[in-house]
Amino acid sequence: MLNKKKIRWMTEAAIYEKHEGRTDLQRNRYYKGTYIRFNTLKNLIGVTIAYIFAMGLTALGSIETTISQTGDFSLGNLLNGSLRNYIILLVIYAVISVILYTWQYRTSQKRVKRYYRILKIIGKYAREEKR
């Protein structure tokens, strides 16, 4: 005889596995701190590459004015301003990344705990059927 409650629990587990389950189970393979640091580092590397690319494009776009003003041009001031902006950008982006990845990890951990509770319930139904 079919157990409707067991079928409902199995359906709920299958839906979770199909949608959020893959990413949640991958996230929970890591410790919380490791997950946050690794993903924040990846994002900061991406920001660095994008900033270098943007600075290169800016330099190419304003090369004519830079060459015409060679007497007033100070590489030190330009690099100082660029470095300051870069550090500010990194700090802001790092804070946002840490907040985002902490939230992602916590919500995924809650869903995985619920998924494991569902699996325990399904296991209880399976043991009862064997008796």
Side-chain angles (χ1 to χ4, degrees):
M1 185 161 122
L2 295 176
N3 188 343
K4 291 183 181 182
K5 289 182 180 179
K6 181 182 174 186
I7 292 171
R8 280 191 209 132
W9 286 116
M10 290 176 72
T11 304
E12 191 171 336
I15 289 171
Y16 171 77
E17 288 172 358
K18 185 176 181 181
H19 295 287
E20 300 105 4
R22 292 182 192 145
T23 56
D24 286 350
L25 293 173
Q26 283 180 342
R27 277 186 197 135
N28 282 292
R29 289 187 312 180
Y30 298 102
Y31 291 111
K32 181 180 174 183
T34 306
Y35 175 76
I36 293 168
R37 278 189 296 270
F38 177 68
N39 284 300
T40 301
L41 181 64
K42 283 192 320 188
N43 285 333
L44 293 181
I45 290 170
V47 166
T48 301
I49 292 170
Y51 189 79
I52 290 170
F53 184 70
M55 289 303 297
L57 287 176
T58 303
L60 284 176
S62 64
I63 198 158
E64 183 179 329
T65 56
T66 304
I67 291 174
S68 66
Q69 298 173 352
T70 53
D72 299 335
F73 182 70
S74 173
L75 185 61
N77 289 338
L78 179 66
L79 290 179
N80 188 20
S82 296
L83 185 63
R84 185 187 64 236
N85 292 340
Y86 171 68
I87 290 172
I88 291 170
L89 179 69
L90 273 185
V91 168
I92 290 170
Y93 203 83
V95 169
I96 291 171
S97 293
V98 167
I99 291 169
L100 174 71
Y101 289 119
T102 301
W103 176 77
Q104 279 184 352
Y105 191 85
R106 285 182 183 166
T107 56
S108 109
Q109 197 172 31
K110 288 177 186 177
R111 288 191 299 251
V112 168
K113 284 181 183 179
R114 183 172 176 358
Y115 173 66
Y116 285 144
R117 275 189 255 126
I118 290 171
L119 291 181
K120 283 183 184 179
I121 292 170
I122 293 170
K124 286 180 185 177
Y125 281 118
R127 285 190 296 278
E128 288 176 3
E129 287 178 358
K130 286 184 180 180
R131 291 183 194 170

